[in-house]
Amino acid sequence: MNLIYEINADLQPEDVAELFRDSGLRRPVDDLERIGRMLANANLTISARDGARLVGIARALTDFGWCCYVSDLAVARDYQKQGIGKDLLARVSAAVGEETAVLLLSAPEAHAYYPHIGFQKIENGWIIPRKRL
């Protein structure tokens, strides 16, 4: 496997939707216009490709000085458990620097993953949930 990682690559909504489907990450994959907005308005994306195939993505919103919210972390099922998600998040951390906290919301099935790669659980968060997927 010879992965190429890119920062803020020109990603196509169709490719990202397919990756979300393949990874099991629940996102509005049938609404390509919305996926396009999600990509256009993220100010940090790290992608992983194996040849032409998009196999991983970390999509984030950050001010590069205080906080970075990772809104998506997805790795294709047949590439999972090979360290790609950990690499994507390490590259996010490197891009935002040591002064910036990296935070995320986890899907219930991924709760055990994040402590394994160095994230600490926090109890002081709040959310106004979206009204529709």
Side-chain angles (χ1 to χ4, degrees):
M1 177 171 55
N2 188 19
L3 295 182
I4 304 294
Y5 289 90
E6 293 181 284
I7 297 175
N8 293 335
D10 183 24
L11 299 171
Q12 300 305 308
E14 298 83 3
D15 294 337
V16 174
E18 181 58 33
L19 174 60
F20 287 160
R21 275 188 203 94
D22 188 28
S23 71
L25 188 62
R26 189 170 174 233
R27 293 295 183 267
V29 295
D30 294 324
D31 188 345
L32 294 180
E33 188 274 331
R34 189 170 176 193
I35 297 286
R37 284 195 324 253
M38 291 164 58
L39 291 169
N41 292 298
N43 61 345
L44 178 62
T45 59
I46 312 287
S47 55
R49 289 190 180 275
D50 188 2
R53 181 180 176 198
L54 181 65
V55 298
I57 188 172
R59 189 178 66 85
L61 306 167
T62 184
D63 57 18
F64 293 96
W66 186 254
C67 64
C68 174
Y69 170 65
V70 177
S71 50
D72 296 317
L73 177 66
V75 176
R77 286 188 205 276
D78 54 333
Y79 286 78
Q80 292 176 2
K81 300 189 188 302
Q82 298 179 43
I84 296 168
K86 183 177 180 178
D87 286 348
L88 288 165
L89 290 171
R91 289 166 190 266
V92 166
S93 291
V96 298
E98 293 181 353
E99 296 176 331
T100 305
V102 177
L103 55 112
L104 56 80
L105 296 173
S106 173
E109 58 273 9
H111 283 203
Y113 174 71
Y114 294 102
H116 169 73
I117 63 168
F119 277 72
Q120 299 171 16
K121 184 174 181 170
I122 61 171
E123 299 294 334
N124 61 339
W126 302 94
I127 186 172
I128 297 173
R130 73 187 62 78
K131 295 189 185 331
R132 66 181 185 96
L133 178 67

